[in-house]
Amino acid sequence: MTNRTDMTNETNKSKIILPHGGYKNLMSYKNAVIVHDLTVMFTEKYIDRFSRTRDQMVQAARSGKQNIAEGSMASGTSKETEIKLVGVARASQEELLIDYQDFLRQHQLQLWGKDDLRVAEIRKLTYATNRTSKTYETYMSAPESAANMMICLIHQTNYLLDRLLQALGRDFAKDGGLRERLFKARQNYRGY
């Protein structure tokens, strides 16, 4: 006799279009939203409005966020696309990280080391409940603290995206993609 769990597992195995979306629950997405919002604030406050760098920084921050969402929504039909878009999000975050490091260097400001007590304080904010860009606004008062805070947040986001990419790769290796599901469904239909 087949129990309900076996039927549910069998149903999930035979689905062609898998459940997808849910990106708003991902920590990497939540961090990317904060990075985007704070980058907009940072560039408005510290980057000349006619500078091309300003637009590029905002676009990189936006791309980091949007590609996570787009990849998650595409995952039902294409795990390959999801992995590719999360990879693009990760690359956009890296581009933004370099922009903040360049800002510090070009303005002769200090890059705080990972063991700096100020960095430890920023890291602790990760555990704040209902964390938003407002959680970090006190660091926006000076360009050095703002850029270093952003660097810390981007490092955290990159760590989360790296872990997500590893998990997506494992899932793909285990479960395959749409072509495999279509092939299996066709075989099941034909009774092979």
Side-chain angles (χ1 to χ4, degrees), residues 27 31 96 169:
M27 285 301 299
N31 261 38
L96 187 60

Side-chain angles (χ1 to χ4, degrees), residues 7 15 17 25 38 49 110 118 137 163 190:
M7 289 173 50
K15 281 187 177 180
I17 308 299
N25 296 321
L38 290 172
R49 68 185 181 120
Q110 182 185 5
R118 295 167 291 188
E137 280 185 356
R163 289 188 58 200
R190 289 180 173 177

Side-chain angles (χ1 to χ4, degrees), residues 157-168:
T157 306
N158 284 346
Y159 171 78
L160 293 168
L161 287 170
D162 288 342
R163 289 188 58 200
L164 178 58
L165 282 167
Q166 291 169 0
L168 292 172

Side-chain angles (χ1 to χ4, degrees), residues 159-186:
Y159 171 78
L160 293 168
L161 287 170
D162 288 342
R163 289 188 58 200
L164 178 58
L165 282 167
Q166 291 169 0
L168 292 172
R170 282 190 306 271
D171 289 349
F172 181 76
K174 179 182 160 215
D175 300 327
L178 180 62
R179 286 186 188 102
E180 288 98 344
R181 290 192 305 276
L182 288 169
F183 180 74
K184 287 176 187 174
R186 191 73 179 142

Side-chain angles (χ1 to χ4, degrees), residues 25-66:
N25 296 321
L26 294 172
M27 285 301 299
S28 56
Y29 180 78
K30 291 176 183 180
N31 261 38
V33 168
I34 293 170
V35 166
H36 177 248
D37 292 348
L38 290 172
T39 295
V40 170
M41 290 170 54
F42 181 92
T43 57
E44 286 175 358
K45 194 167 187 172
Y46 298 115
I47 306 288
D48 183 279
R49 68 185 181 120
F50 297 110
S51 170
R52 188 165 178 238
T53 300
R54 181 177 178 165
D55 294 336
Q56 289 177 323
M57 289 177 74
V58 171
Q59 183 55 40
R62 182 183 181 279
S63 176
K65 174 177 70 76
Q66 297 300 103

Side-chain angles (χ1 to χ4, degrees), residues 83-138:
I83 291 168
K84 187 183 297 183
L85 289 171
V86 171
V88 171
R90 174 60 171 88
S92 294
Q93 291 292 315
E94 190 69 22
E95 176 186 349
L96 187 60
L97 174 68
I98 293 167
D99 283 334
Y100 281 109
Q101 292 167 339
D102 288 348
F103 177 86
L104 289 172
R105 187 183 69 257
Q106 291 165 356
H107 291 85
Q108 291 82 44
L109 299 171
Q110 182 185 5
L111 172 62
W112 300 344
K114 65 178 184 175
D115 297 325
D116 190 300
L117 293 176
R118 295 167 291 188
V119 171
E121 288 175 18
I122 294 166
R123 281 193 206 126
K124 286 180 188 175
L125 294 174
T126 301
Y127 304 105
T129 54
N130 301 319
R131 192 170 54 104
T132 67
S133 59
K134 290 195 181 298
T135 307
Y136 299 90
E137 280 185 356
T138 58

